[in-house]
C-alpha cells in the first residue's frame, strides 16, 4: 500500500514533535504506557464477562525492551489492539483531545506549552524517535497490521503476517545524539526504570522489563583470585501497581496528585486543589477529586459533559458517571472506587442505586467543604477558582429555584464598592452600618458603567457598600436567595430605595403636590413608556434616572430580551422617570408648564431618552432625539 498523508492538523503537531526543543522529552514514555494501559483496561473489562478471551487479570502486562546496539525501544501490551481502520483513524489523525490545544494558534510557536503540559499522546514518540512502527492486532480479528512512519512525509499501513495475540507493539527507532540533545538516555535501562517510577507507577498492570544486573560472587575458600563478576538478566516489574487513590495520603505529594491529574484528565495546568478521601460505613469507597484551575474551552457549551470515573474494586466500569455530581459542581474531575458496586451495573441501574446516591451526597459535601476551606484559608486561589467557575455556582442557585441556596450562597463572591474587592455576602453583612436595612446592589454591563449610574452616588454618599452585578445571572440569582441573614437585597434602581431623611421627604412631598399637574402632563406625553413621572430625592447631582417599579427590573428586562428563546415575546419592566428635586432642571420644567407646554413635551422626551442611555438601554428613535437636541442648540 502506498504512503498516506497525515491530516493537516496532525502534520503540524508531528512537525512540532520532531523539531521539539522541549526539555522534558521523557514524557513520551508516560504517554505510550498510558495508552497501553487503557487498551488493557478495555480487554480486561471484556474478559470479566467473556470467558472465551481466556485471560486472567495476572496475564495482562506491558513490556518494555531496550536494544542499545540497534537503538530500539519497544513498548508492547496485550490489550484490545487496533483494527486497520482504527490504526488509520487513531494514528493518522491527531486525537480529539489534542486538537484542543491546536485551536490556539499562538501556542504553535511555543511548543513548550503544549507538549509539556498537555497530554500530547502518541505523537510525542516523535520527540525521541526518527521512525515509529506500530504492529497491532485487534481483539476478535484474525489479521494483524503494521503502521509505519518516519515523520511528516506520511505513513503506511499494511497487513502483517503474525501469529500474535490481541495487542499492540510499538517500536521506536531512537534518534542519534546531537550537540545539544542526548537521546541515548532513552536506551538506558536505569533511566527507563526511573521514568516509569516517576510517571507511571500507579498503572494497575505490571510494566515489565528485562534488566541486566552485575553480581560479584564471594571469593570461595582456597581460591586466590577474586571471581569474575557475572551478568544476571532478570525480568523486573518496574511499577508498584498501586493506584494512587489506594495509597496513603502521607505517601503522596502534591506533585504526585498533579501529574496524575494532568495525565489522566488531559489538562495542561495543575488543578487548583485535590480532595482525596477514604470512606467506610454505609458506603465504602475511595474518592479522588480535582478542581481544575481553568474552565475547559467547552465548559459553558452543551458539549461539556460532567461526571466522574467510576471503578469497582480497581476496575474501571464507567468513564463518565453523571450521577455522582450535582450540576453546580460539574467542573469537578476525578474518580470514585467502591467495592460495593457490581461490575456489571448498567447506566440505568446506577441512577437508582442507593449506594451511588449516598456516595453522591457525600461527594457533594466534601466538595462544598473543600471550597469553603479554600475561601477561608487561600483567598487568592479561591478567587481564581471563582473566576473560572463562579458563574456556574450562581446558575446553580437560579436553576434550582433557590433549593441549592444553602449549599451555595456562602460560596458566592461579588465585586464590591468597598475597596473594589471581591466580597462574600457574609463579609458584606458583617460590616453593614447600624442604620442600614438592605444589602444594596447595582446592575450594569461593567463596574465603570455602574459607577456612572446617577443612583450610585447617593448610596455611596450614605456610606453604604454596593455589590456590583455585572453578570447577567446575578440579579436572577439574588431573587432566588431572597434574603441573606435576614437582610433583604435592594437594587439601587428600585423605586422604593429609601435613603432620605424625614425632612427631605417632606420637601419632596410638598414639591410633588405643587407640581402634580405638570407631572401628569409629562406622563401623558410619554404614554406607556413610563408608569409615572415623579420627583426623586435619591439623586444627588444628576438630573434624571429611571426606577423600576414592578418585579422585573430594568436589568432583567435587558437580559431576558437578549435570550434567543424569548423570541418576540419581549419583557417590559415598569419604569418610572424620576426628576431630581434639587436640580435646576426642575425649576425649568415648572416654568415651561406655565409658559410653553409644547416645549415641556419635548423636554419630557429628552429626559426620558437620556435616562435610557444612562441605563445602557437603546432609545427608540435616535434620529428624533438628535434633532430635538439640535433644535435646542440652534
Ligand atoms: P489519546 O490517548 O489522548 O486518545 P493518543 O494520540 O495517545 O491520544 O492515542 C490515540 C488513540 O489511539 C487512542 O485513543 C487509542 O484509541 C489508540 N491507541 C493508542 N495506543 C494504543 C494501544 N497501545 N492499544 C490500543 N489502542 C491504542
Amino acid at each position: 500500500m502506498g504512503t498516506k498523508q497525515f491530516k493537516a492538523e496532525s502534520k503540524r503537531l508531528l512537525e512540532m514533535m520532531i523539531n521539539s526543543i522541549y526539555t522534558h522529552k521523557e514524557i513520551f514514555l508516560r504517554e505510550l504506557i498510558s495508552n497501553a494501559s487503557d487498551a488493557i483496561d478495555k480487554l480486561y473489562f471484556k474478559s470479566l464477562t467473556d470467558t472465551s478471551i481466556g485471560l486472567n487479570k495476572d496475564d495482562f502486562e506491558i513490556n518494555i525492551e531496550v536494544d542499545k546496539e540497534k537503538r530500539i525501544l519497544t513498548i508492547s501490551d496485550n490489550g484490545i489492539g487496533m483494527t486497520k481502520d482504527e490504526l488509520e483513524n487513531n494514528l493518522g489523525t491527531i486525537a480529539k483531545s489534542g486538537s484542543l490545544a491546536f485551536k490556539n494558534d499562538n501556542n504553535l510557536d511555543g511548543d513548550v506549552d503544549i507538549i509539556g503540559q498537555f497530554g500530547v499522546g502518541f505523537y510525542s514518540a516523535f520527540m525521541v524517535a526518527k521512525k515509529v512502527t506500530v504492529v497491532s492486532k485487534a481483539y476478535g480479528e484474525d489479521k494483524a497490521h503494521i503502521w509505519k512512519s518516519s515523520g511528516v512525509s506520511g505513513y503506511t499501513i499494511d497487513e502483517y503476517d503474525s501469529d500474535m495475540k490481541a495487542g499492540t507493539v510499538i517500536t521506536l527507532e531512537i534518534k542519534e545524539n546531537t550537540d545539544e540533545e542526548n537521546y541515548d538516555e532513552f536506551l538506558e535501562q536505569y533511566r527507563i526504570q526511573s521514568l516509569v517510577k516517576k510517571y507511571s507507577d500507579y498503572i494497575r498492570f505490571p510494566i515489565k522489563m528485562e534488566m541486566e544486573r552485575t553480581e560479584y560472587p564471594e571469593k570461595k575458600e582456597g581460591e586466590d583470585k577474586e571471581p569474575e563478576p557475572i551478568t544476571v538478566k532478570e525480568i523486573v516489574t518496574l511499577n508498584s501497581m498501586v493506584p494512587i487513590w489506594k495509597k496513603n495520603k502521607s505517601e503522596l505529594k502534591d506533585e504526585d496528585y498533579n501529574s496524575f491529574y494532568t495525565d489522566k484528565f488531559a489538562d495542561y495546568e495543575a488543578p487548583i486543589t485535590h480532595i482525596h478521601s477514604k470512606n467506610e460505613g454505609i458506603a465504602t469507597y475511595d474518592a479522588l477529586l480535582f478542581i481544575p484551575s481553568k474552565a475547559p474551552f467547552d465548559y459553558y457549551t452543551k458539549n461539556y459533559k460532567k461526571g466522574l470515573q467510576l471503578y469497582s474494586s480497581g476496575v474501571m466500569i464507567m468513564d463518565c458517571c453523571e450521577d455522582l455530581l450535582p450540576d453546580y459542581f460539574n467542573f469537578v474531575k476525578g474518580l470514585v472506587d467502591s467495592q460495593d458496586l457490581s461490575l456489571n451495573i448498567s447506566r440505568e441501574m446506577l441512577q437508582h442505586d442507593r449506594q451511588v446516591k449516598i456516595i453522591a451526597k457525600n461527594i457533594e459535601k466534601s466538595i462544598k467543604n473543600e471550597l469553603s476551606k479554600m475561601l477561608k484559608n487561600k483567598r487568592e486561589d479561591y478567587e481564581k477558582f471563582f473566576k473560572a467557575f463562579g458563574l456556574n455556582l450562581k446558575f446553580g442557585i437560579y436553576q434550582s429555584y433557590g433549593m441549592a441556596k444553602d449549599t451555595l450562597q456562602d460560596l458566592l463572591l461579588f465585586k464590591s464598592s468597598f475597596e473594589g474587592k471581591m466580597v462574600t455576602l457574609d463579609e458584606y453583612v458583617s460590616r453593614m452600618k447600624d442604620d442600614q436595612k438592605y444589602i444594596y446592589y447595582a446592575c450594569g454591563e461593567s463596574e465603570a458603567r455602574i459607577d456612572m449610574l446617577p443612583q450610585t452616588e447617593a448610596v455611596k454618599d450614605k456610606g453604604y457598600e454596593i455589590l456590583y452585578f455585572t453578570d447577567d445571572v446575578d440579579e436572577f440569582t439574588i431573587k432566588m436567595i431572597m434574603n441573606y441573614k435576614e437582610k433583604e437585597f435592594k437594587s439601587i434602581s428600585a423605586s422604593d430605595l429609601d435613603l432620605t431623611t424625614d425632612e427631605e421627604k417632606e420637601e419632596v412631598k410638598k414639591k410633588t403636590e405643587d407640581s402634580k399637574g405638570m407631572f401628569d402632563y409629562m406622563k401623558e406625553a410619554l404614554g406607556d413608556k413610563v408608569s409615572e413621572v415623579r420627583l426623586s430625592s435619591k439623586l444627588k447631582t444628576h438630573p434624571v434616572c429611571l426606577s423600576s417599579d414592578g418585579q422585573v427590573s430594568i436589568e432583567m428586562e435587558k437580559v431576558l430580551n437578549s435570550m434567543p428563546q424569548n423570541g418576540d415575546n419581549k419583557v417590559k419592566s415598569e419604569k418610572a422617570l424620576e426628576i431630581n428635586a434639587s436640580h435646576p432642571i426642575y425649576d425649568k420644567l415648572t416654568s415651561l408648564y406655565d409658559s410653553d407646554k409644547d416645549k415641556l413635551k419635548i423636554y419630557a422626551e429628552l429626559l426620558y431618552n437620556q435616562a435610557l442611555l444612562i441605563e445602557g438601554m437603546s432609545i427608540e428613535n435616535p434620529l428624533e432625539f438628535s434633532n430635538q437636541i439640535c433644535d435646542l442648540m440652534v
Side-chain angles (χ1 to χ4, degrees), residues 63-289:
N63 261 295
I64 301 184
E65 263 173 68
V66 190
D67 186 330
K68 234 172 149 166
E69 264 79 68
K70 294 194 180 128
R71 302 190 69 78
I72 298 251
L73 178 66
T74 311
I75 294 128
S76 44
D77 66 73
N78 52 354
I80 193 105
M82 283 177 273
T83 62
K84 185 178 170 206
D85 282 353
E86 283 166 343
L87 280 169
E88 173 89 49
N89 294 331
N90 296 338
L91 308 185
T93 327
I94 163 182
K96 271 210 215 81
S97 55
S99 45
L100 188 162
F102 248 30
K103 294 213 129 172
N104 186 351
D105 265 6
N106 299 335
N107 273 356
L108 282 177
D109 307 330
D111 57 350
V112 173
D113 271 337
I114 306 189
I115 303 172
Q117 296 136 34
F118 211 97
V120 283
F122 171 74
Y123 284 180
S124 58
F126 285 96
M127 287 197 291
V128 299
K130 55 185 177 199
K131 182 171 175 194
V132 179
T133 308
V134 181
V135 171
S136 195
K137 184 172 190 183
Y139 170 72
E141 299 261 310
D142 337 318
K143 297 222 155 61
H145 289 90
I146 182 163
W147 180 101
K148 280 191 220 163
S149 172
S150 304
V152 277
S153 57
Y155 61 92
T156 57
I157 301 181
D158 293 290
E159 225 175 88
Y160 186 74
D161 234 355
S162 155
D163 54 2
M164 73 190 277
K165 294 223 171 76
T168 302
V169 181
I170 299 186
T171 308
L172 310 183
E173 227 171 90
I174 300 294
K175 293 181 187 175
E176 310 290 338
N177 282 353
T178 64
D179 288 348
E180 289 96 32
E181 302 278 357
N182 172 14
Y183 295 102
D184 287 359
E185 58 174 313
F186 303 119
L187 294 162
E188 299 292 342
Q189 291 176 338
Y190 288 98
R191 181 76 176 123
I192 298 289
Q193 182 180 37
S194 79
L195 287 179
V196 171
K197 263 262 159 282
K198 181 168 171 191
Y199 293 115
S200 311
D201 189 59
Y202 65 87
I203 295 284
R204 288 193 307 126
F205 304 100
I207 303 168
K208 293 182 179 170
M209 182 167 70
E210 187 185 67
M211 292 188 76
E212 282 180 10
R213 186 162 49 81
T214 311
E215 275 185 7
Y216 301 90
E218 300 249 334
K219 198 163 78 178
K220 291 209 182 82
E221 239 172 286
E223 286 179 12
D224 38 67
K225 245 177 57 197
E226 287 285 341
E228 290 289 317
I230 40 178
T231 308
V232 188
K233 286 188 181 177
E234 59 184 354
I235 304 228
V236 181
T237 298
L238 306 176
N239 54 330
S240 74
M241 290 194 284
V242 182
I244 179 166
W245 61 93
K246 289 277 177 208
K247 290 189 183 169
N248 273 326
K249 287 191 229 178
S250 56
E251 288 174 58
L252 295 161
K253 292 197 278 299
D254 280 350
E255 256 174 80
D256 300 318
Y257 288 111
N258 292 354
S259 66
F260 176 77
Y261 167 80
T262 46
D263 189 18
K264 187 122 184 154
F265 297 100
D267 194 353
Y268 54 92
E269 228 178 273
I272 208 152
T273 187
H274 63 261
I275 307 166
H276 186 183
S277 66
K278 293 170 182 284
N279 306 269
E280 274 169 37
I282 328 174
T284 301
Y285 67 95
D286 298 326
L288 183 52
L289 310 173

Side-chain angles (χ1 to χ4, degrees), residues 237-390:
T237 298
L238 306 176
N239 54 330
S240 74
M241 290 194 284
V242 182
I244 179 166
W245 61 93
K246 289 277 177 208
K247 290 189 183 169
N248 273 326
K249 287 191 229 178
S250 56
E251 288 174 58
L252 295 161
K253 292 197 278 299
D254 280 350
E255 256 174 80
D256 300 318
Y257 288 111
N258 292 354
S259 66
F260 176 77
Y261 167 80
T262 46
D263 189 18
K264 187 122 184 154
F265 297 100
D267 194 353
Y268 54 92
E269 228 178 273
I272 208 152
T273 187
H274 63 261
I275 307 166
H276 186 183
S277 66
K278 293 170 182 284
N279 306 269
E280 274 169 37
I282 328 174
T284 301
Y285 67 95
D286 298 326
L288 183 52
L289 310 173
F290 299 92
I291 299 176
S293 303
K294 264 209 203 105
F297 77 105
D298 61 351
Y299 182 61
Y300 288 105
T301 73
K302 283 202 296 287
N303 296 335
Y304 180 79
K305 284 211 167 43
K306 70 161 181 172
L308 299 176
Q309 287 191 337
L310 190 59
Y311 287 76
S312 155
S313 305
V315 182
M316 189 169 84
I317 53 175
M318 201 176 287
D319 198 28
C320 194
C321 178
E322 294 175 26
D323 306 301
L324 291 169
L325 285 178
D327 280 341
Y328 44 81
F329 290 153
N330 67 359
F331 46 82
V332 174
K333 300 272 172 220
L335 54 90
V336 168
D337 188 352
S338 172
Q339 63 188 37
D340 303 341
L341 296 169
S342 138
L343 272 176
N344 300 314
I345 193 161
S346 71
R347 223 165 248 280
E348 292 69 42
M349 275 156 69
L350 263 182
Q351 277 181 357
H352 306 290
D353 191 272
R354 209 175 64 91
Q355 259 349 74
V356 172
K357 286 202 173 116
I358 297 169
I359 296 175
K361 263 271 146 280
N362 286 348
I363 282 180
E364 176 179 341
K365 259 187 236 147
S366 43
I367 297 170
K368 155 96 198 254
N369 288 344
E370 186 66 28
L371 289 174
S372 308
K373 222 170 66 192
M374 201 199 304
L375 175 59
K376 196 159 159 246
N377 305 325
K378 291 189 169 164
R379 183 67 171 228
E380 221 170 280
D381 281 359
Y382 190 81
E383 289 189 12
K384 185 171 173 201
F385 154 78
F386 197 81
K387 215 167 148 197
F389 301 110

Side-chain angles (χ1 to χ4, degrees), residues 395-412:
F395 271 115
I397 295 179
Y398 173 56
Q399 279 162 344
S400 70
Y401 299 102
M403 275 176 359
K405 84 171 194 181
D406 288 340
T407 313
L408 301 179
Q409 63 185 2
D410 282 315
L411 296 175
L412 298 183

Side-chain angles (χ1 to χ4, degrees), residues 415-432:
K415 193 71 179 255
S416 137
S417 59
F418 181 79
E419 295 177 348
K421 288 203 177 114
M422 300 290 279
V423 302
T424 62
L425 294 176
D426 185 52
E427 284 159 359
Y428 184 106
V429 168
S430 69
R431 56 172 175 253
M432 273 171 73

Side-chain angles (χ1 to χ4, degrees), residues 18-41:
I18 291 165
N19 305 315
S20 159
I21 45 156
Y22 180 57
T23 40
H24 301 288
K25 296 192 160 81
E26 61 192 38
I27 56 121
F28 83 93
L29 189 62
R30 166 190 88 184
E31 299 291 320
L32 297 182
I33 289 176
S34 153
N35 282 348
S37 165
D38 289 348
I40 294 179
D41 253 331

Side-chain angles (χ1 to χ4, degrees), residues 442 450-461 466 468 492:
I450 290 172
D451 276 329
M452 277 186 258
L453 286 177
Q455 301 92 322
T456 306
E457 203 183 1
V459 181
K460 274 193 182 167
D461 237 47
I466 301 175
Y468 289 65
I492 64 160

